[in-house]
Amino acid sequence: MDAGAPVWITRARPGALATAERVAALGFEAVVDPLLRVETLDAQIDLSQVTALAFTSANGVEAFVRLSDERGLPVFAVGRATARAAQNEGFAAVSSADGDVEDLCELIAAGASGPVLWAGAKEPAGDLVGMLRDRGVMAKGVSVYETLERAPSAETLARLDAPLTTLLHSPRGARALAAILLEKPAANLRVLCLSEAVAQPLRGIAGLQSVTFAPRPDESALLELLSA
């Protein structure tokens, strides 16, 4: 893919805007047209006996801070972007697993001093609370946001007829794209995924130029694929 060629960013805002800045800095045209949107839920945050918070996405952080003024508890974050979101919101003690939900579970199991509250999606990709309980860690969860699908614009769909790269950050986004491609094949589409789990929904889609996933579930690793 030549520098300056279009890169379709499908993740929900506001994360899509941060990704677009990084894509543009690499010399690519960033096309922001999310396949997903995030809505904060009217959740009740119960922090009784909680000694730490766990977040598996920046969306979880952003939804939590809309619902609670708590900023003093230690935070365990799945990766650097989520950790950075927590720090930007005023959390001082933030630890990053720099990986996936399993890595986060290991980090919490090794470092938690008491009950942990996970705040995340209504339909999470992984069961962190269950994993922690299996490890003997007291944990509870609260859904603070939900992810909903949205249709891309006609202009973006027209781009599928020409060479185009798309970035996928979640299995939900990949499933949304797969549904589109079943109706509108895209032989010139190169798909770059954050992880193997994100790439999985596209395995049965014929006719794509390629489907590749990052060697680690980190956006920096994902963006390195743009120039590969």
Side-chain angles (χ1 to χ4, degrees):
M1 186 64 61
D2 296 331
V7 177
W8 179 16
I9 299 165
T10 62
R11 67 185 303 199
R13 297 171 185 266
L17 301 179
T19 300
E21 290 182 0
R22 299 185 68 183
V23 167
L26 293 172
F28 295 85
E29 176 191 355
V31 179
V32 178
D33 195 357
L35 292 175
L36 306 171
R37 59 186 176 88
V38 173
E39 289 191 1
T40 301
L41 298 173
D42 186 18
Q44 298 298 314
I45 306 296
D46 179 10
L47 295 174
S48 58
Q49 301 183 348
V50 170
T51 63
L53 301 171
F55 296 109
T56 47
S57 71
N59 290 328
V61 175
E62 291 158 5
F64 178 89
V65 300
R66 293 190 182 101
L67 298 166
S68 173
D69 294 329
E70 171 59 48
R71 302 292 185 273
L73 288 171
V75 167
F76 293 99
V78 69
R80 297 173 189 174
T82 303
R84 186 163 52 249
Q87 291 165 341
N88 290 342
E89 293 294 349
F91 292 98
V94 180
S95 301
S96 172
D98 293 340
D100 56 17
V101 175
E102 292 184 1
D103 296 314
L104 179 57
C105 179
E106 293 297 324
L107 178 67
I108 295 172
S113 60
V116 175
L117 175 68
W118 166 79
K122 184 177 180 179
E123 298 180 10
D127 182 12
L128 177 63
V129 171
M131 294 167 63
L132 288 171
R133 289 174 176 171
D134 289 343
R135 293 292 302 273
V137 178
M138 295 180 63
K140 59 182 180 179
V142 58
S143 298
V144 293
Y145 74 93
E146 65 176 332
T147 303
L148 304 172
E149 294 184 11
R150 67 177 295 275
S153 69
E155 180 182 358
T156 298
L157 291 176
R159 288 178 179 268
L160 293 175
D161 295 326
L164 180 70
T165 294
T166 188
L167 302 181
L168 291 172
H169 286 71
S170 69
R172 181 74 178 272
R175 290 193 295 271
L177 179 61
I180 291 171
L181 296 176
L182 288 174
E183 299 293 330
K184 184 176 177 59
N188 295 311
L189 183 64
R190 182 174 68 143
V191 183
L192 305 181
C193 303
L194 188 67
S195 69
E196 185 173 7
V198 174
Q200 191 61 39
L202 294 164
R203 292 304 187 195
I205 304 298
L208 294 172
Q209 178 181 322
S210 63
V211 178
T212 309
F213 59 87
R216 61 183 188 280
D218 176 88
E219 188 174 76
S220 293
L222 175 63
L223 295 183
E224 288 173 3
L225 297 177
L226 284 172
S227 300

